[in-house]
């Protein structure tokens, strides 16, 4: 293996050399050159969602979950807030837990992990309970790879006059979210996912009118997006030490994203990876967990080979020896593993990963 292993994980993922090289410089957080980078990143993130006219981009230090927690804590009112969370995977479960810890009222809607959230169910739940103020939805549930129907759900939530908060962590930049057509109060994502930057910075695209009246909602100082926004508008600086290298490299990754052709090109590359992956694995006898119609082209869950010789840990180690890092499954009832479709996968691309898996299954005599 002549290179570091490729990460077939949905963030951190394999970044380009150019993106990594952008981290070789130290920046002063007060310096105008660095603050221009922050400004450009914020502006371009809004442009990706066609949200410049209606929303503000607030970046936040930390992993994606920090931004999710900050958005919920800042945008959901302290006393009247009541959030409906449809549950079909681990990331929605995490949102529900955050809402409980924040002390906001929570109502859940339970689904199986292979069932997408239905807009009709949201419609019924909002109709039945007028005290629900917000719906918090995960766009692509990365725990399985399932895609929830965001446009349909957004239309329902808007029709009921409630707020929609979207965890679009593993879809933003690859699957279309257009603020002019899909109404949302907040969309949350992070640097190290489909935009292929390094991990370390989350961001929230928040509806300006909602953000303006969110002062004092947050139970936290560090995670208060209203405060972060006001300070950044006033000074162009981050409130507290920014992850300077990450921001600079993320800016460089967004530059490459635009050079590649933006959302359409990024989405097409991942979709092609996803098709090649599923077809290649099927030839090896490995079946994907989800039917194609509800599979997002971001990460694919596969059933483990039905062989007594299969042990995830040895499979993982052997595939790693061949240059690829797989991702364990996250389902409780069936034995699975996951393969991401994102990141810079080199000359042999996703096909190289399928070859490695095939060789390892043969070597372990664990072919399905
Ligand atoms: C990656 C991800 C997150 C954030 O996870 P972190 O480990 O905090 O970065 C949240 N939601 C979804 C859907 C994700 O894919």
């Amino acid at each position: 293996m002549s290179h570091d292993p490729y990460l077939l994980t949905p963030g951190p993922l394999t970044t380009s050399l150019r993106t990594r090289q952008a981290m070789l410089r130290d920046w002063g957080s007060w310096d105008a050159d660095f603050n221009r980078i922050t400004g450009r990143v914020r502006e371009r993130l809004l442009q990706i969602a066609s949200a410049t006219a209606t929303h503000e981009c607030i970046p936040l230090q930390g992993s994606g979950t920090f931004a999710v927690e900050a958005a919920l804590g800042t945008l959901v009112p302290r006393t009247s807030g009541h959030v409906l969370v449809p549950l079909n995977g681990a990331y929605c479960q995490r949102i529900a837990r955050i809402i409980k810890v924040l002390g906001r009222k929570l109502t859940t809607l339970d689904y199986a992990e292979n069932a997408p959230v239905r807009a009709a169910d949201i419609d019924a739940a909002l109709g039945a309970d007028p005290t629900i103020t917000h719906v918090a939805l995960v766009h692509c549930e990365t725990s399985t790879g399932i895609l929830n129907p965001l446009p349909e759900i957004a239309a329902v939530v808007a029709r009921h006059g409630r707020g929609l908060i979207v965890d679009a962590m593993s879809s933003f930049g690859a699957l279309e979210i257009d603020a002019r057509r899909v109404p949302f109060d907040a969309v949350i994502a992070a640097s190290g996912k489909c935009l292929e930057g390094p991990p370390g910075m989350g961001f929230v695209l928040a509806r300006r009118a909602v953000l303006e009246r969110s002062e004092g909602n947050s139970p936290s100082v560090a995670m208060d997006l209203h405060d972060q926004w006001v300070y950044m508008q006033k000074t162009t600086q981050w409130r507290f030490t920014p992850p300077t290298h990450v921001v600079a490299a993320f800016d460089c990754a967004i530059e490459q994203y635009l050079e590649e052709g933006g959302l359409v090109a990024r989405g097409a590359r991942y979709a092609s990876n996803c098709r090649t992956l599923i077809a290649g694995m099927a030839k090896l006898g490995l079946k994907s967990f989800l039917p194609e119609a509800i599979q997002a082209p971001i990460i694919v869950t596969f059933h483990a080979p039905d062989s007594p010789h299969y042990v995830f840990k040895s499979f993982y180690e052997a595939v790693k020896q061949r240059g690829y890092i797989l991702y364990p499954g996250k389902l409780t009832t069936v034995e699975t593993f996951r393969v991401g479709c994102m990141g810079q996968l080199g000359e042999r691309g996703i096909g190289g990963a399928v070859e490695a898996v095939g060789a390892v299954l043969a070597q372990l005599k664990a072919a399905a």
Side-chain angles (χ1 to χ4, degrees):
M1 187 169 59
S2 58
H3 57 80
D4 291 335
Y6 291 110
L7 300 176
L8 296 172
T9 57
L13 40 65
T14 300
T15 56
S16 73
L17 180 61
R18 204 172 131 197
T19 297
R20 276 176 275 142
Q21 280 170 338
M23 286 186 275
L24 293 176
R25 175 172 166 189
D26 302 312
W27 299 87
S29 63
W30 281 67
D31 189 77
D33 290 341
F34 177 72
N35 291 321
R36 263 194 293 278
I37 296 177
T38 301
R40 178 165 61 228
V41 166
R42 293 174 67 205
E43 198 177 299
R44 284 177 164 173
L45 293 173
L46 284 167
Q47 284 164 359
I48 290 169
S50 304
T52 311
T54 45
H55 292 69
E56 294 283 337
C57 174
I58 311 116
L60 186 72
Q61 299 91 331
S63 87
T65 305
F66 288 63
V68 172
E69 184 160 338
L72 292 166
T74 304
L75 302 178
V76 178
R78 272 191 195 209
T79 47
S80 62
H82 179 179
V83 188
L84 174 69
V85 184
L87 297 177
N88 64 348
Y91 290 97
C92 337
Q93 297 279 2
R94 188 179 295 175
I95 289 179
R97 182 159 167 232
I98 290 170
I99 289 165
K100 273 195 235 164
V101 169
L102 288 172
R104 304 315 197 244
K105 190 159 182 228
L106 168 72
T107 296
T108 60
L109 203 52
D110 292 323
Y111 292 89
E113 281 175 314
N114 59 356
V117 176
R118 284 162 22 109
D121 299 338
I122 304 286
D123 192 20
L126 296 181
D129 190 345
T131 72
I132 293 170
T133 55
H134 293 79
V135 174
L137 178 78
V138 175
H139 188 197
C140 167
E141 234 313 337
T142 320
S143 53
T144 53
I146 201 168
L147 183 67
N148 285 318
L150 172 62
E152 290 82 352
I153 292 167
V156 163
V157 176
R159 187 147 40 74
H160 284 272
R162 322 290 171 90
L164 178 65
I165 296 175
V166 187
D167 172 349
M169 208 67 67
S170 64
S171 56
F172 188 87
L175 305 180
E176 189 185 75
I177 301 174
D178 185 326
R180 295 166 305 182
R181 288 199 294 272
V182 173
F184 60 82
D185 275 5
V187 154
I188 309 150
S191 54
K193 301 258 178 165
C194 302
L195 294 171
E196 301 188 349
M201 185 197 121
F203 58 89
V204 179
L205 307 185
R207 187 182 296 284
R208 194 173 298 115
V210 169
L211 189 61
E212 279 167 351
R213 49 170 203 267
S214 67
E215 187 175 1
N217 277 346
S218 178
S220 160
V221 173
M223 312 266 273
D224 185 343
L225 293 182
H226 181 272
D227 206 41
Q228 177 91 319
W229 174 59
V230 168
Y231 186 86
M232 210 169 247
Q233 293 305 99
K234 209 182 303 172
T235 64
T236 74
Q237 294 164 16
W238 294 59
R239 257 178 342 160
F240 321 143
T241 307
T244 47
H245 300 77
V246 171
V247 176
F250 188 31
D251 177 52
C252 180
I254 295 172
E255 185 74 31
Q256 292 161 75
Y257 171 79
L258 297 174
E259 287 167 11
E260 183 179 340
L263 188 135
V264 172
R266 186 63 48 96
R269 171 153 67 83
Y270 290 0
S272 158
N273 282 350
C274 186
R275 281 191 302 272
T276 306
L277 176 66
I278 291 176
M281 297 292 253
K283 274 198 195 135
L284 300 174
L286 293 168
K287 284 207 305 281
S288 58
F289 171 70
L290 295 173
E292 220 171 297
I294 55 171
Q295 169 72 60
I298 301 294
I299 183 166
V300 183
T301 298
F302 290 98
H303 288 282
D306 185 15
S307 155
H309 299 291
Y310 174 84
V311 178
F312 177 75
K313 194 150 188 329
S314 10
F315 175 61
Y316 173 92
E317 287 300 336
V319 175
K320 181 179 169 186
Q321 283 302 313
R322 291 175 183 269
Y324 295 91
I325 301 267
L326 298 172
Y327 209 43
K330 216 174 181 161
L331 298 180
T332 42
T333 47
V334 253
E335 164 105 19
T336 55
F337 66 92
R338 289 176 292 167
V339 185
C341 306
M342 54 217 287
Q344 296 291 318
L345 299 178
E347 241 167 68
R348 290 159 69 227
I350 198 89
V354 175
E355 265 175 54
V357 167
V360 165
L361 290 179
Q363 173 195 329
L364 297 175
K365 297 193 177 43

